Amino acid sequence: MPRAGLTADRLVAAAADLADEAGYDNVTLSALARRFGVKDASLYAHVRGLSDLRTRMALLAGGEMTDRIAAAVAGRTGKEALAAFAGAYREYALAHPGRYAATRIRIDQNLAAASPVMRRTADVVHGVLRAYGLEEPDLTDAVRLLRSTFHGFCALESTGAFGAPREVGTSWNKAVDALHVALVNWPREQGR
């Protein structure tokens, strides 16, 4: 019998909060159960286990991040949209490190295909990139370039790994400028 007041949504939100406070790797069913003052077994009425909980956290955080990015890019195109996208991405990653870590897990492809969150994320990202005239397979390549650049920068920034005296925000802006140039001059395959 499910414990009164516990729902899958409440558990996932609490797990996301715990991830931001204590780190993604410290989110366990035991830690979450302690937060609610219940036994671990009580959680299984709402989630199938840690993997299910982490997948749900990834979808929650991905949806939150996409909402912020979509709001930032609304009404913008080209470099302005790219800069807004990048800024919203970076702000979310740095403000919510545990949630952001959840967005990096691999989601089962069938679940991803059925997920409204994943579809909306793809729509927002592809919308920004289509303004550069990109279509598949170049869209996939460009998404990978953006994600790896943004993630790498944010991962290094969050750990204080940038030691040079240059202001980190200036370097971020230069990276976005460079991505814009790369997207404008995207290497097209012959015959297209």
Side-chain angles (χ1 to χ4, degrees), residues 26-108:
N26 293 317
V27 175
T28 63
L29 292 176
S30 294
L32 192 56
R34 282 192 301 276
R35 248 188 200 215
F36 284 95
V38 300
K39 296 195 183 297
D40 295 11
S42 300
L43 303 184
Y44 287 95
H46 307 285
V47 295
R48 290 185 301 277
L50 185 59
S51 178
D52 180 41
L53 177 68
R54 288 189 169 173
T55 297
R56 291 173 187 240
M57 285 173 50
L59 293 172
L60 170 74
E64 290 173 348
M65 192 172 189
T66 298
D67 288 346
R68 289 185 184 194
I69 291 169
V73 303
R76 296 182 162 104
T77 61
K79 185 177 181 183
E80 189 179 332
L82 179 64
F85 181 109
Y89 185 107
R90 180 177 176 222
E91 287 170 13
Y92 187 87
L94 297 177
H96 300 287
R99 282 173 159 84
Y100 176 68
T103 68
R104 297 188 326 245
I105 70 166
R106 182 174 174 85
I107 304 285
D108 175 85

